[in-house]
Amino acid sequence: MDFCVSLSYGIHMNSVLDNLTETQKSAVTFEGKALMIVAGAGTGKTTTLTRRIAWLVEQGVEPQKILALAFNEKAVAEMEMRVDQLLPYGVFGTQISTFHSFCLNILQKYPIYSHVSESHVVLTEASQKLFFNNHIEEFGQSSLRPLSNLGVNTVETLRFINRCKDELISPIALSKWVKKTDNEDKNLYAELAKVYVQYQTLLNKHR
């Protein structure tokens, strides 16, 4: 079987595992169902993940059945380039995408299951800021004042809201946390929670 796979894809195991640490090799060749890699910046996570993809293809996994997700486009581009270099010419189909793009694709393909309208629109960063500023008077929170400093406050507030969404923290969950916390910035978080609730309400109203 290994011989046939090598003939089909032309990937040599030695090249996939070359210059890896023993820990990286263990992660690349892991045969269990789930593996969590915890490592800091610059420790070779991307190298490990891309080699893992090549190793899976070497084991006979169809490239079209492999999905790799990253948080930003820069990381996706880096992974795509490395995977392309590892896999021989003609072997393609691995899905490498950002979390946001992948999820958007699912919403667009299967709107009936997500309870999202087919005509829904995903706001770009610029559109988000414009929408937020157009409704600024509806939030009424002191954390967004003064309006003369609107640009900075809008960016910081939206960054906070987007981070909450990335961490799957809903407006309701954030509001409940604020009521229980003794954080020294509780008042600020309370205002941000109210803005988050109102912002999401407005988005749902205008979608």
Side-chain angles (χ1 to χ4, degrees):
M1 179 64 179
D2 290 340
F3 179 69
C4 293
V5 170
S6 295
L7 281 179
S8 300
Y9 293 113
I11 304 174
H12 300 290
M13 184 63 69
N14 289 339
S15 63
V16 172
L17 301 180
D18 279 351
N19 304 316
L20 296 180
T21 65
E22 290 305 314
T23 302
Q24 288 175 316
K25 287 180 182 178
S26 297
V28 169
T29 59
F30 180 73
E31 295 185 354
K33 291 185 177 181
L35 174 67
M36 178 183 290
I37 299 175
V38 181
T43 54
K45 295 189 297 298
T46 300
T47 295
T48 302
L49 291 172
T50 51
R51 298 290 186 93
R52 171 73 175 171
I53 291 172
W55 184 83
L56 287 172
V57 174
E58 169 73 16
Q59 302 310 300
V61 176
E62 296 178 34
Q64 293 84 354
K65 294 182 178 180
I66 297 174
L67 170 65
L69 299 175
F71 278 106
N72 57 63
E73 295 291 349
K74 181 180 179 181
V76 168
E78 178 71 16
M79 290 181 69
E80 286 178 333
M81 181 184 71
R82 294 196 192 187
V83 169
D84 187 55
Q85 291 173 343
L86 286 168
L87 298 181
Y89 182 77
V91 177
F92 57 90
T94 302
Q95 300 179 70
I96 302 177
S97 174
T98 63
F99 284 91
H100 291 161
S101 294
F102 178 72
C103 292
L104 175 59
N105 187 45
I106 291 177
L107 290 176
Q108 291 175 331
K109 283 187 175 181
Y110 310 103
I112 190 172
Y113 300 108
S114 62
H115 305 291
V116 174
S117 169
E118 292 185 56
S119 60
H120 77 278
V121 176
V122 176
L123 297 180
T124 63
E125 184 176 343
S127 297
Q128 238 184 337
K129 293 176 185 177
L130 181 61
F131 180 86
F132 192 92
N133 289 339
N134 284 342
H135 296 275
I136 194 71
E137 295 291 349
E138 298 177 55
F139 297 114
Q141 303 300 315
S142 61
S143 59
L144 301 178
R145 310 296 176 175
L147 293 182
S148 60
N149 200 27
L150 191 58
V152 174
N153 290 328
T154 296
V155 170
E156 292 301 321
T157 302
L158 285 174
R159 183 175 293 145
F160 176 82
I161 291 174
N162 289 335
R163 181 61 184 272
C164 286
K165 292 187 176 186
D166 285 341
E167 299 292 337
L168 301 181
I169 301 173
S170 69
I172 294 176
L174 180 61
S175 298
K176 288 181 178 179
W177 174 82
V178 168
K179 290 180 180 179
K180 296 178 181 179
T181 187
D182 293 323
N183 190 291
E184 59 182 11
D185 294 321
K186 181 173 182 174
N187 290 336
L188 174 60
Y189 284 122
E191 290 198 344
L192 288 171
K194 290 178 181 178
V195 172
Y196 187 9
V197 170
Q198 180 66 3
Y199 177 69
Q200 198 59 43
T201 300
L202 287 168
L203 286 178
N204 292 335
K205 180 180 178 181
H206 289 84
R207 69 180 180 180

